[in-house]
Amino acid sequence: MSLVQARGVGRTVELADGSPLEILTGVDLEIAEGDRVSIVGRSGSGKSTLLNLLGLLDLPTAGELHCLGVDVRRTRSGTRDRLRGDGIGFVFQQFNLLPGRTALENVQTPLLYSGGRAFWQRERLAREMLDRVGLGERLDAKPERLSGGEQQRVAIARALVRRPRLILADEPTGALDLETGAEVMQLIESVAAETGAALVTITHDPSIAARSTRHLRLVSGRLEARELEPAGGASTEAGMAAGAAA
Ligand SMILES: Nc1ncnc2c1ncn2[C@@H]1O[C@H](COP(=O)(O)OP(=O)(O)OP(=O)(O)O)[C@@H](O)[C@H]1O
Ligand SMILES: [Mg+2]
């Protein structure tokens, strides 16, 4: 099933002096369950802007965008909020954890807004997910006491605790060393594989991009397909997993 369909999606914002800035001009993109998509592009090319559109945080100003079954430009903001909360998990470069709150509290936050079982079982679900990312012993640690890799694992647990169908990662390894970055990606991928979620990763790092099965580049406000240099087999396993899930 198609999770995202973008046709000619554009986003223009107004600058402080009132002049328009066209960030995205015509993005075409289709994402299906289980897809692993990497997006590269120069700084300022609009990668985060695009991810915010896919994550229903902002609206396109042109074109058509369907996400998780709705036409986003024709949907009320309350519906978009609910869809985002239920179906989309964000992982950011700078973790964005709540300072002064424990790992367990941070991971529970998305569940505070969900109804029914997920709300009542939020502590158990958060514990399980922290265990899953290897932090079962650090439930009471606050972000300021955790290493970068540990903070990103808390952020991943928080993004995935609701088992989203679409995982959007904006340079998730940018603040980590190579080895920790690879571990963090492996973690995201394995949780995504369990739930059949699609994963979109923005990255500058070729070794992280190589883990995806589809490679795109954002240039002049549009996405174009990108060939990877044939090096190493890092993407083979993920590719087979995605193929088997399809
Ligand atoms: N709300 C806004 N108002 C004005 N300019 C904006 C707004 N949002 C984004 N921009 C500009 O649009 C361009 C694209 O921004 P964006 O954050 O999407 O780039 P990016 O590809 O993610 O860059 P980076 O790799 O540095 O994170 C930048 O020049 C940015 O300053
Ligand atoms: Mg960015």
Side-chain angles (χ1 to χ4, degrees), residues 190-205:
S190 68
V191 178
E194 273 169 31
T195 58
L199 171 60
V200 180
T201 308
I202 289 177
T203 183
H204 287 302
D205 181 341

Side-chain angles (χ1 to χ4, degrees), residues 83-94:
L83 273 177
R84 184 188 324 109
D86 288 343
I88 300 176
F90 281 94
V91 184
F92 302 95
Q93 176 173 5
Q94 295 301 341

Side-chain angles (χ1 to χ4, degrees), residues 11 13-16 21 23 41-50 93 170-171 202 204 218:
R11 171 127 173 115
V13 299
E14 194 171 301
L15 296 177
L21 173 70
I23 305 173
R42 299 188 58 164
S43 180
S45 58
K47 303 181 298 295
S48 298
T49 302
L50 174 59
Q93 176 173 5
D170 197 347
E171 298 192 32
I202 289 177
H204 287 302
L218 195 54

Side-chain angles (χ1 to χ4, degrees), residues 120-138:
W120 295 109
Q121 304 195 351
R122 63 192 182 279
E123 187 174 327
R124 181 180 64 77
L125 294 170
R127 275 174 194 277
E128 281 174 7
M129 195 47 89
L130 278 163
D131 207 34
R132 182 78 184 68
V133 302
L135 291 175
E137 310 289 312
R138 306 297 302 275

Side-chain angles (χ1 to χ4, degrees), residues 129-173:
M129 195 47 89
L130 278 163
D131 207 34
R132 182 78 184 68
V133 302
L135 291 175
E137 310 289 312
R138 306 297 302 275
L139 300 177
D140 296 326
K142 297 183 175 163
E144 44 277 29
R145 290 290 181 81
L146 295 170
S147 72
E150 288 167 341
Q151 289 183 53
Q152 190 59 309
R153 284 189 277 152
V154 175
I156 289 168
R158 182 185 56 185
L160 304 185
V161 71
R162 304 195 67 179
R163 308 256 159 194
R165 296 160 69 199
L166 179 60
I167 302 169
L168 304 173
D170 197 347
E171 298 192 32
T173 64

